[in-house]
Amino acid sequence: QKEVEQNSGPLSVPEGAIASLNCTYSDRVSQSFFWYRQYSGKSPELIMSIYSNGDKEDGRFTAQLNKASQYVSLLIRDSQPSDSATYLCAVRVIWGDLNFGNEKLTFGTGTRLTIIP
Amino acid sequence: GAVVSQHPSWVICKSGTSVKIECRSLDFQATTMFWYRQFPKQSLMLMATSNEGSKATYEQGVEKDKFLINHASLTLSTLTVTSAHPEDSSFYICSAREVRDLLSYEQYFGPGTRLTVT
């Protein structure tokens, strides 16, 4: 079983609609959760971070976390063509002293999202 | 703020040669930097974690003698791919975490370096 699983897509959503991206993770000690957007040939850009159960909203983006179900999601409202990208889910585990880099981000394989004008 | 740069942005080298990639935190100090590799249509895979002034910690399956990491200062980490082969061709991305913000959960990513070995 992969540590972080995402539907690879592609996911096609009409412009103006809501895009829903999902992610599940296997390590119950995961403590922090992130959504990154990656355009082709570019490095990841942080979109949202979430640390506790529930919803977190930032502009058109809402992240949802359910630790009991080991599930994270990202909703993008009023989808724009510029939102077309691959979205990576990442989970972080921290152990020991952060001063010594005792943390690890594990990424999913990403969901390719296409917004159709 | 929180800008991470990488140099070069792309490099082409011949098989058997070595390539050095630099990762710099431009406006903050980073005790810890991370090196990732991404093959086409795959996700980022952590290669190693480097701490300023100490040896890097490599992930399982990553050859430490082939991928030399040096984190000599709080703003610079280097990755040297030694005796590069075509299978080392990939997108190498570094990230850094700000030293004063130990509770921050955000790693700042560099723009990446695309390595092609011919």
Side-chain angles (χ1 to χ4, degrees):
Chain A
Q1 181 186 7
K2 292 180 182 177
E3 293 181 59
V4 181
E5 292 205 51
Q6 297 180 251
N7 187 325
S8 62
L11 175 65
S12 296
V13 173
E15 183 175 357
I18 296 175
S20 177
L21 305 165
N22 304 314
C23 171
T24 58
Y25 60 95
S26 60
D27 192 342
R28 287 195 170 273
V29 301
S30 298
Q31 296 147 311
S32 312
F33 308 86
F34 306 88
W35 283 99
Y36 287 86
R37 178 175 63 198
Q38 187 175 27
Y39 293 113
S40 181
K42 303 295 184 182
S43 69
E45 170 192 10
L46 182 67
I47 298 297
M48 290 286 288
S49 58
I50 186 166
Y51 313 124
S52 55
N53 283 327
D55 297 358
K56 179 182 178 182
E57 185 175 319
D58 184 0
R60 295 187 297 113
F61 300 96
T62 299
Q64 299 173 317
L65 173 61
N66 184 325
K67 289 187 177 181
S69 301
Q70 296 175 241
Y71 175 87
V72 192
S73 67
L74 178 70
L75 299 178
I76 307 174
R77 290 181 299 281
D78 188 23
S79 296
Q80 302 297 310
S82 58
D83 295 327
S84 296
T86 296
Y87 288 79
L88 303 172
C89 172
V91 302
R92 177 161 68 186
V93 174
I94 299 174
W95 65 94
D97 190 342
L98 276 175
N99 281 307
F100 298 100
N102 293 323
E103 63 175 288
K104 180 177 179 179
L105 262 185
T106 301
F107 287 83
T109 54
T111 298
R112 190 156 58 92
L113 173 66
T114 301
I115 305 302
I116 304 168
Chain B
V3 178
V4 178
S5 70
Q6 279 184 247
H7 178 81
S9 56
W10 60 270
V11 57
I12 301 173
C13 71
K14 292 187 176 181
S15 186
T17 61
S18 295
V19 174
K20 180 185 284 189
I21 302 170
E22 291 186 349
C23 176
R24 293 182 185 272
S25 54
L26 298 186
D27 52 2
F28 66 99
Q29 294 181 321
T31 53
T32 305
M33 290 185 172
F34 305 85
W35 288 95
Y36 295 85
R37 180 168 54 182
Q38 186 177 33
F39 291 108
K41 299 191 185 302
Q42 295 187 25
S43 192
L44 277 75
M45 296 297 293
L46 179 66
M47 298 176 66
T49 301
S50 76
N51 292 297
E52 184 262 340
S54 63
K55 291 183 178 180
T57 302
Y58 290 81
E59 293 297 299
Q60 191 172 10
V62 178
E63 300 175 56
K64 61 180 67 176
D65 294 331
K66 181 171 181 62
F67 298 99
L68 302 179
I69 292 173
N70 185 289
H71 192 161
S73 76
L74 287 173
T75 59
L76 173 65
S77 177
T78 61
L79 168 67
T80 301
V81 183
T82 63
S83 187
H85 290 283
E87 56 265 31
D88 298 323
S89 299
S90 188
F91 192 40
Y92 291 85
I93 310 171
C94 73
S95 71
R97 179 167 52 73
E98 188 169 5
V99 66
R100 288 182 296 176
D101 193 4
L102 295 179
L103 296 181
S104 168
Y105 294 103
E106 183 171 329
Q107 292 180 19
Y108 304 105
F109 281 86
T113 296
R114 190 162 301 282
L115 170 63
T116 302
V117 184
T118 62

